[in-house]
Amino acid sequence: MLLPHQLELLAPAKTADIAREAILHGADAVYIGGPSFGARHNASNPIEDIASLVQFAHCYHSRVFVTLNTILHDNELEPARQQIIQLYEAGVDALIVQDMGVLKLDIPPIQLHASTQCDIRNPAKAKFLSDAGFSQIVLARELGVKQIREISATIGDTATIEYFIHGALCVAFSGQCNISHAATNRSANRGDCSQACRLPYTLTDHKGQVVAFDKHLLSMKDNDQTDNLALLVDAGVRSFKIEGRYKDAQYVKNITAHYRQHLDKILEQRPDLAPASSGRSEIFFTPNVDKTFHRGHTDYFATERKTDIGAFDSPKYVGLPIGTVTRVADKFFEIQIIDPAEPLSNGDGLNYMKKREVVGVQANTVEAIDKATGLFRVFPNEPISELSGLKAGIGMNRNRDHAWEQILNKKSAERKIGVWLNLSETTDGLALTITDADGCTVTVNATMALEISNNPDKAWSGLIGALGKLGNTMFYAEDVSLNLSQPWHVAASAINALRREAVEQLELARVAAWPRQERKAPVEPPAIYPDETLSFLGNVYNKKAREFYHEHGVKLIAAAYEAHEEAGEVPLMITKHCLRFSFELCPKQAKGVIGVKGQIKAEPMTLANDKESYTLVFDCKPCEMHVMGKMKPHILKSPPPSIIPTQTITFHKAKPEPEGYSH
């Protein structure tokens, strides 16, 4: 658990290599999928890779969290337990968990974080999870600053508050969406969402009149809390989470560096706060959140409800407007770009809109007709005849900046920790002591005959220079001091060997000094859950989870939707996003409007495409929209899912289980 004055930048990682880049670019912690049971089942990693990552991260006193945030079938409980044991032995700092059954397993004392799939929206739920033994809780993305402040005041310093600050937004409250499973038998709660929210739909009112035709009405813009970071700090957020375990290294580098710089500005102004890990990152490029994948930007509900949170036109990344087509010829087209300082280059990815369709264009060769004014000629990979709708006057976007990508494909950051070096004499040679900014200290001795130097000034400066050569290491020299009776002549090879050994020892000492915190103990007697009943939305899918809730005062527990016991129409998706509000049909918006008699009723609406049809029911008191529907009959009759076939669960021979947890 973080100390109250620490701020943690938490970055995503599809692979261990991407996690290392995140740390180099300023992440205080990373979260990554293990071999299985993560909510992104195509972003899994073997134990060996995670163990290696842990060693790297702990050098910087950065933390490594592993996602084990699917709901578990009974026959998955033991495989999950074995995986947790291996992750603990690999040195992982915490598990991100959705299934309360995990808390009833006989596992090592690893810290547990409550996933956003736990649907943490109010102080009572947050306090319960803190009391149940979670050291960090990931709040619902839909919460605003005022609600976060209320939760923080309720739980105090008993748990760290984590909040998403950037990346893709699920339109539904996390853990409260079953639309994918109902239509395709692919469960979001089990890491296999089919992303029905990114499909086009037509919206009709209760009279059958079309409100919006063939739009991506459940597709949200991407979360961007850049301008709200200080507000979130004051509200009590201490872990600032970037979404994106499917994203590539360029995205992670860029977005991590962006938020590192913004959090550092806050830290400069707030001496009462400190980063949660060690060292400082030097970024070799200018971060720009518009240069990597996004669907537009929104701060969602952080400050107030807004009408423009949706990415209704396209769920794709169209990039930034680059200019206007001025001419189309047989083999090329010409563009007048907006900013001559952002020229086109070979390999750029371009696109334009044809009605509701995004048409992509790959720039094979680019010629500058007039660099000063920004007029360029583009020879695309595709034949001009196949670029339907391309004509003079059409706006062009760039969603792949080749020159930008080339910068990020190279070394784009390094992270260093300050050290103080002191060279002193011993009875039989020299000793080098290195102390770092966290107080870790090592001393390495070298036996050697000391010779009097013929050039004392040169010998003195030579020793200081040789000891300070830390260029390829994770350290930089804050100061080099010589505690010598005289400037001895020492061979460069000897002093270099002494320095290298001391640096290696310090790296090991830093890892050894990292205090992995043990799991937080639940309060006794067990905390009482805020409700006495749990519907299928409680996601209880195994006997251990059922046992957990019974112990915490829940009397009636329905099985998770994946158990195939809900045959009727139910809320397949519960969302704070309201299509009535988006199209200015909300009763609250109509209140007091001149010319509007009475109040518009929140009648149901219909959302449909050529495959599915859903009824929209509006719960106006909490400002929520419920997408109602049924599970398809063939899915309802099929066996409930256990281990997802696409997940390969492999375990290595486990070490003897430490005392305190056994079969």
Side-chain angles (χ1 to χ4, degrees), residues 403-477:
W404 165 266
E405 288 188 359
Q406 290 299 103
I407 293 171
L408 289 181
N409 282 337
K410 301 172 184 175
K411 181 179 179 180
S412 50
E414 63 181 15
R415 185 168 177 173
K416 301 279 188 176
I417 297 169
V419 294
W420 288 258
L421 301 96
N422 177 268
L423 186 68
S424 60
E425 296 174 16
T426 64
T427 56
D428 56 358
L430 296 174
L432 176 60
T433 298
I434 304 184
T435 303
D436 67 25
D438 295 305
C440 293
T441 299
V442 296
T443 298
V444 175
N445 294 286
T447 300
M448 64 179 72
L450 301 179
E451 301 177 11
I452 297 174
S453 173
N454 295 326
N455 190 336
D457 291 342
K458 184 178 180 181
W460 196 266
S461 61
L463 287 171
I464 291 175
L467 291 171
K469 288 182 179 178
L470 300 171
N472 292 327
T473 73
M474 61 180 289
F475 304 109
Y476 70 92

Side-chain angles (χ1 to χ4, degrees), residues 29 99 102 197 199 264 267 279 304 345 368 417 447 546 573 590 657:
D99 196 317
V102 171
C197 55
L199 299 175
D264 282 348
L267 291 170
E304 61 181 348
S345 61
I417 297 169
T447 300
R546 188 175 295 273
M573 176 188 289
E657 295 180 1

Side-chain angles (χ1 to χ4, degrees), residues 451-527:
E451 301 177 11
I452 297 174
S453 173
N454 295 326
N455 190 336
D457 291 342
K458 184 178 180 181
W460 196 266
S461 61
L463 287 171
I464 291 175
L467 291 171
K469 288 182 179 178
L470 300 171
N472 292 327
T473 73
M474 61 180 289
F475 304 109
Y476 70 92
E478 292 276 10
D479 182 65
V480 179
S481 60
L482 304 180
N483 186 20
L484 305 174
S485 59
Q486 60 177 294
W488 300 104
H489 170 72
V490 182
S493 59
I495 206 70
N496 289 339
L498 184 62
R499 183 197 66 238
R500 283 193 295 268
E501 185 180 352
V503 166
E504 290 173 4
Q505 292 298 321
L506 184 58
E507 288 181 0
L508 294 173
R510 287 189 59 80
V511 174
W514 175 243
R516 180 170 65 171
Q517 297 173 335
E518 292 196 348
R519 177 176 162 186
K520 176 183 169 185
V523 299
E524 292 293 343

